[in-house]
Amino acid sequence: MSAEQELDCLAYVDEAESNRYDSRAVFSEVGLGVEVEEYDSFTLYKWEGDIDFETVLETVQPHFPFVENPALEMINAKDEALRYSSERDHETMDNELVYDPVREWRGEDRWGDYELIQINLNRAKVVWDDKQASNRLRIYEIEDKSDAFEQLFPEIMDSSKAERIADDVKAFKTQN
């Protein structure tokens, strides 16, 4: 990342290489901010907002259609971890804990028992975390060419501020 950018939403850049990450930037508008951390094999985007998981799911699915079950990883609010082995065949797995886009869940509180849900996508992960006062959202882009953040963030947050931040993040990524 380079601190020489003239972007409206860029608030902070730390290019110091550390054991934790290579660089970090913060993009913010009044009342909304995104922290971006670059690691060797992925980029992490994280922010907080009052967003329920159903909204996140409805936003993700049109951009990343669930041809197969995305094998959600969910942590129960009772701190009981419910995890899946990556060696299992998620396509044929029949389990209440894996989201099935064909099945109807209307009228049920499908996600109410969970405080952390991770959607595993092809080139990214989307994590919704309800452990704190406001929901924390994280997007992990596994490949440099992934634009999951730029596609999802403005729609999840549904504001012109989010669009400006996403545009600045995209400009920042392409210039570096």
Side-chain angles (χ1 to χ4, degrees):
M1 291 187 187
S2 175
E4 299 171 8
Q5 310 301 323
E6 293 288 333
L7 302 172
D8 294 335
C9 300
L10 182 60
Y12 172 80
V13 175
D14 175 9
E15 295 184 79
E17 292 186 24
S18 71
N19 293 336
R20 197 165 155 241
Y21 51 81
D22 293 330
S23 57
R24 177 176 60 167
V26 175
F27 295 83
S28 65
E29 289 264 342
V30 176
L32 180 62
V34 174
E35 187 172 345
V36 181
E37 294 178 4
E38 289 183 340
Y39 294 82
D40 289 339
S41 57
F42 65 91
T43 302
L44 168 62
Y45 304 87
K46 56 186 177 180
W47 72 96
E48 294 183 358
D50 187 24
I51 305 298
D52 62 6
F53 180 71
E54 195 68 38
T55 301
V56 173
L57 191 64
E58 289 170 1
T59 304
V60 170
Q61 197 165 6
H63 295 284
F64 300 93
F66 299 153
V67 176
E68 297 178 10
N69 290 336
L72 303 183
E73 179 177 339
M74 298 180 274
I75 308 295
N76 196 303
K78 298 176 186 127
D79 292 333
E80 179 182 340
L82 304 168
R83 298 177 184 270
Y84 301 105
S85 167
S86 62
E87 297 172 13
R88 289 176 127 174
D89 183 359
H90 295 292
E91 186 176 4
T92 60
M93 183 184 235
D94 183 22
N95 188 316
E96 284 290 307
L97 304 177
V98 177
Y99 174 69
D100 181 353
V102 176
R103 194 165 169 188
E104 293 290 329
W105 293 106
R106 294 185 186 132
E108 295 182 31
D109 184 15
R110 173 76 172 118
W111 313 109
D113 292 338
Y114 302 100
E115 62 182 19
L116 185 141
I117 305 175
Q118 173 179 297
I119 307 172
N120 299 314
L121 303 169
N122 191 12
R123 298 176 324 243
K125 292 183 181 182
V126 179
V127 179
W128 174 86
D129 184 344
D130 190 31
K131 292 189 237 178
Q132 300 176 357
S134 64
N135 303 102
R136 185 171 59 160
L137 289 112
R138 290 170 286 179
I139 294 179
Y140 296 82
E141 290 184 351
I142 310 304
E143 296 178 9
D144 288 338
K145 296 179 182 178
S146 175
D147 61 351
F149 173 78
E150 289 89 356
Q151 290 183 43
L152 299 175
F153 178 69
E155 289 186 41
I156 290 172
M157 297 312 293
D158 193 28
S159 77
S160 58
K161 292 178 188 177
E163 289 178 25
R164 286 192 299 272
I165 289 173
D167 288 344
D168 274 5
V169 168
K170 184 175 183 173
F172 193 75
K173 279 174 44 175
T174 57
Q175 294 174 0
N176 293 308

